[in-house]
Amino acid sequence: MTVVGPFVKPRPPRFWVIVLAAVFALLQLANVTGRDTPDTKNYLSYALSLRGASKHEAATATIDYACAGRASVARRNQSVNVVHFREPSPARRVVEECRRDQWGWVSKRLSAGQTAGHTVPFIPPRFMRIFEARPGYPVFLVPFITVLGVKWGLWTSSVLITVIGGVLAFLVLRTLRAPTVAALTGQALFYVLPCGTTAMRPMTEGLLLTLTLAALWGCALALEGRTRAATALVGGSLAALFAVKHSQALFLGLCLAGACAVLGIRRGGLRQPLRRLARPLREVGVVAACGVAVTLLAAKVLGYPSESESLQDLLTAHFSRPDRSRPWSDFLDLEVNFWVEWLRRELWQPFFPTALLAGAWGALRQRPAFGVFLVAGALTGILNQAGHPDINIYGDRLIVLAWVLPVVGLPLLLEQVVRPRVRGLDAVPGPLRTDAEPNTAMDTAMGAGTGAGTGAGLDAGVAR
């Protein structure tokens, strides 16, 4: 804080946003390598190919990165092993074994003529087609790995994606007129909950989280009457999601359109569900519905893998076994079994379901209209997990988008606790306006002039 005469002038909100982001970025230096997964090799080789590397060059750089990460993990694990911690580092041996293993598969497939597409053939051709249909993340990586190299380029890009995700959580909450402390809590929650850890891994999930939060920011702006900004954010997010992972664009479009329908029915009943809905929300619903239609049409025109192909990928362990003759029947049986086991494990350690319920309660109680959109955004994570009911990859990665619910909902639940203590950080509360166009959405959310509103004020934006 700066002292001006006898008064103490508080730091502007953007100062604390930058501090949180900087602290998070510095902490990530603890793990520069070793975050990659098998999918990382496909995305990285795709990006290297886009940069102009040959298949052999892309394979060399990708294998070197993956094996260095594996060696780093092995070295750290041994250093704390109660039996082997005094033994020599296994890093060199792990790198040699890893390279021998990876090059054995790649060389064999390249020699067999598997050179089509951008991805190095670490996996069977049918499995590769799934990654070939996801150019968004590799395109995003290209400038980073070109300027900083593979190791630091991947790390920097992951930090940037995650930092932006936290900032978007802050902007959503400030647009909802939450106190600055509550909005900063949302940013911090994004970093410390599993969504931050998952976003830091060099895969598509970080971009999926960031783009989903951008779309939710658009929904919050729609409740303020900011039609153009809202439709631009929602439409742009859906378009970018199509490039990153088109199934997620489909899920988000369906869920946001469904949220608009729920709000319309709530205001106008079943006979006139849209007539009493405010124009910004109607346009968000139209954009979301159009996004669904365009996603389905574009995926078909571009020849992306179909739903049945995705099922075969799931049920044959990435096409390593013969195709199933009754994939849908097998899938439904597996789906039921998966969720029964998922619920059993979650009830054993119920942090995640508790966070979901608390986040939903906070959002729907404090900001009922936006709460519908937030639940819809979180539902895309549930749908993504439902599309991949594989208990072997059980955890936070596939369902990670559901964490946006506690990230935004918990600060709203706590805002009545923090509001009396932070009046010096926020302007005098005022009614939510739906007839004004502030200078920019960013200035409105980041500036100190954003007041702290109420859930009833936000609901005023639903109806004309």
Side-chain angles (χ1 to χ4, degrees):
M1 294 188 292
T2 58
V3 179
V4 182
F7 302 101
V8 177
K9 183 179 179 181
R11 298 283 189 182
R14 60 175 59 89
F15 171 81
W16 299 110
V17 170
I18 293 171
V19 167
L20 275 178
V23 169
F24 172 80
L26 288 173
L27 292 176
Q28 302 317 301
L29 290 170
N31 282 297
V32 178
T33 59
R35 299 178 189 261
D36 56 296
T37 71
D39 289 356
T40 301
K41 298 197 298 290
N42 302 306
Y43 294 121
L44 176 56
S45 65
Y46 197 139
L48 291 167
S49 176
L50 291 175
R51 200 185 64 175
S54 66
K55 280 287 191 293
H56 189 273
E57 291 170 338
T60 299
T62 302
I63 291 172
D64 286 349
Y65 172 79
C67 293
R70 192 177 297 182
S72 175
V73 172
R75 182 177 63 252
R76 295 197 299 265
N77 288 342
Q78 180 177 296
S79 70
V80 292
N81 186 290
V82 295
V83 176
H84 304 290
F85 67 95
R86 290 189 179 278
E87 296 179 4
S89 170
R92 178 176 296 181
R93 172 179 56 79
V94 170
V95 167
E96 291 175 353
E97 292 176 354
C98 174
R99 285 176 175 167
R100 184 165 57 249
D101 179 59
Q102 294 294 324
W103 274 114
W105 285 105
V106 171
S107 299
K108 186 182 299 184
R109 287 172 175 148
L110 289 176
S111 300
Q114 191 178 331
T115 58
H118 294 286
T119 308
V120 170
F122 294 105
I123 51 181
R126 288 174 69 185
F127 194 20
M128 280 180 59
R129 289 187 63 234
I130 294 174
F131 290 94
E132 291 288 329
R134 302 174 184 176
Y137 182 55
V139 169
F140 175 80
L141 289 179
V142 168
F144 293 95
I145 62 176
T146 300
V147 175
L148 301 173
V150 170
K151 174 183 172 181
W152 287 103
L154 284 176
W155 181 87
T156 304
S157 64
S158 297
V159 168
L160 180 62
I161 290 171
T162 313
V163 163
I164 291 174
V167 172
L168 283 168
F170 174 90
L171 292 173
V172 169
L173 286 160
R174 286 300 279 165
T175 302
L176 296 174
R177 309 300 179 97
T180 301
V181 170
L184 290 171
T185 300
Q187 181 184 1
L189 284 175
F190 184 87
Y191 296 149
V192 302
L193 288 177
C195 45
T197 304
T198 305
M200 274 300 301
R201 304 177 80 175
M203 298 183 297
T204 58
E205 277 71 22
L207 279 179
L208 299 183
L209 280 162
T210 299
L211 292 170
T212 300
L213 281 168
L216 290 174
W217 186 25
C219 296
L221 290 171
L223 290 168
E224 275 201 329
R226 299 289 306 279
T227 306
R228 280 182 290 182
T231 54
L233 276 169
V234 173
S237 298
L238 289 174
L241 278 172
F242 179 84
V244 176
K245 189 177 180 183
H246 70 279
S247 62
Q248 201 61 41
L250 178 65
F251 293 155
L252 185 60
L254 282 170
C255 290
L256 293 184
C260 290
V262 168
L263 292 175
I265 292 171
R266 176 185 171 192
R267 289 293 173 176
L270 292 174
R271 292 184 177 181
Q272 296 178 328
L274 299 179
R275 181 162 297 184
R276 295 196 58 192
L277 202 61
R279 176 172 167 261
L281 295 181
R282 286 203 306 269
E283 296 205 7
V284 165
V286 169
V287 168
C290 289
V292 172
V294 170
T295 296
L296 292 172
L297 179 62
K300 189 173 184 62
V301 170
L302 295 172
Y304 283 178
S306 63
E307 296 82 2
S308 60
E309 188 74 353
S310 181
L311 284 185
Q312 294 292 358
D313 167 48
L314 171 72
L315 298 171
T316 61
H318 305 311
F319 306 109
S320 62
R321 299 171 180 271
D323 282 6
R324 298 292 186 102
S325 58
R326 300 172 56 198
W328 284 104
S329 176
D330 293 343
F331 174 76
L332 293 176
D333 290 341
L334 178 62
E335 192 79 53
V336 172
N337 295 340
F338 172 84
W339 287 111
V340 169
E341 177 62 14
W342 181 88
L343 184 61
R344 187 193 67 80
R345 296 189 184 192
E346 291 299 330
L347 292 177
W348 180 25
Q349 295 178 318
F351 176 67
F352 181 43
T354 302
L356 288 181
L357 290 174
W361 183 28
L364 292 170
R365 179 182 179 183
Q366 298 296 107
R367 304 293 191 277
F370 180 77
V372 176
F373 285 113
L374 183 61
V375 171
L379 183 59
T380 63
I382 306 296
L383 291 174
N384 187 42
Q385 180 70 79
H388 305 81
D390 185 352
I391 207 67
N392 294 318
I393 49 176
Y394 166 81
D396 298 311
R397 182 169 73 88
L398 292 176
I399 206 170
V400 69
L401 285 157
W403 281 102
V404 300
L405 188 51
V407 163
V408 178
L410 287 179
L412 292 175
L413 183 63
L414 298 173
E415 86 173 322
Q416 294 304 318
V417 177
V418 303
R419 188 188 302 284
R421 303 180 182 180
V422 295
R423 287 181 179 176
L425 297 179
D426 293 280
V428 177
L432 186 66
R433 297 185 61 189
T434 60
D435 58 346
E437 289 281 343
N439 290 334
T440 66
M442 184 70 74
D443 289 343
T444 301
M446 294 287 276
T450 302
T454 64
L458 272 176
D459 267 340
V462 179
R464 286 185 178 278

